[in-house]
Amino acid sequence: AQKITQTQPGMFVQEKEAVTLDCTYDTSDQSYGLFWYKQPSSGEMIFLIYQGSYDEQNATEGRYSLNFQKARKSANLVISASQLGDSAMYFCAMREGPMDSNYQLIWGAGTKLIIKP
Amino acid sequence: EAEVAQSPRYKITEKSQAVAFWCDPISGHATLYWYRQILGQGPELLVQFQDESVVDDSQLPKDRFSAERLKGVDSTLKIQPAELGDSAMYLCASSLSPTGELFFGEGSRLTVL
């Protein structure tokens, strides 16, 4: 079974609009973390935002926020006021186990976001 | 600009040839990862190093792939012989420790003809 599911292969969004990228996850661990990365055409994976399973508040980083719904096992990325430079692939990833343990990231298949001018 | 250096950025080779990728992590980062990313998919971990030791290479196809980090700094990933299905982006990442944040390089894109 897929541990990380990103159901949107691609999205077109008008510049300046907000966009939500979906991510659902599957784990039996109580301690885990969820990441969002951006991958532009240059190839580099750029870290955007992190949410720990015990974090009570939704994570925010500038225009990025994570809509964490633990009971539904979803961790959607919200980008406010989208910009042309936001066009990229976006990946959701999960680490299982406590923060102070060795971990490996489990990756979703990604969503290709294109911002229209 | 990524601080994890990778080369070459692009490599085109014919099947059955040998190919090698190099990664120089951020200075002081003890943990180094090699990922393979097939087009349209998320990255897949190939090998994880802690200093010069392999921590996890369970997903590395050892019949044709090898990885080393002899002095615990830079690392080389080799494929011999290359097959058509090896066409992918090869990403290197590093972190201060196995529990730390990952920093990625820009990747090496391999095309096998």
Side-chain angles (χ1 to χ4, degrees), chain A residues 24-115:
Chain A
T24 58
Y25 59 92
D26 182 24
T27 182
S28 56
D29 283 11
Q30 295 300 309
S31 179
Y32 55 90
L34 296 149
F35 299 77
W36 277 93
Y37 284 85
K38 173 184 178 181
Q39 187 178 39
S41 56
S42 60
E44 180 189 359
M45 282 288 187
I46 302 168
F47 167 75
L48 295 178
I49 198 167
Y50 171 79
Q51 179 87 39
S53 58
Y54 293 119
D55 295 340
E56 294 183 354
Q57 303 278 347
N58 283 346
T60 62
E61 291 285 347
R63 293 187 300 113
Y64 304 107
S65 61
L66 201 152
N67 183 4
F68 183 46
Q69 298 187 42
K70 197 169 181 177
R72 297 180 62 184
K73 294 190 174 180
S74 75
N76 298 339
L77 176 70
V78 180
I79 307 174
S80 63
S82 58
Q83 303 171 357
L84 296 178
D86 293 333
S87 294
M89 285 290 292
Y90 288 80
F91 290 92
C92 179
M94 177 174 68
R95 52 157 284 275
E96 292 177 301
M99 271 296 290
D100 58 352
S101 66
N102 184 26
Y103 70 90
Q104 293 176 8
L105 287 177
I106 303 163
W107 297 80
T111 295
K112 187 175 179 66
L113 176 63
I114 297 175
I115 308 298

Side-chain angles (χ1 to χ4, degrees), chain B residues 81-102:
Chain B
E83 297 182 352
L84 296 177
D86 296 331
S87 294
M89 175 80 88
Y90 291 84
L91 291 164
C92 179
S94 70
S95 63
L96 275 171
S97 72
T99 62
E101 178 184 348
L102 269 64

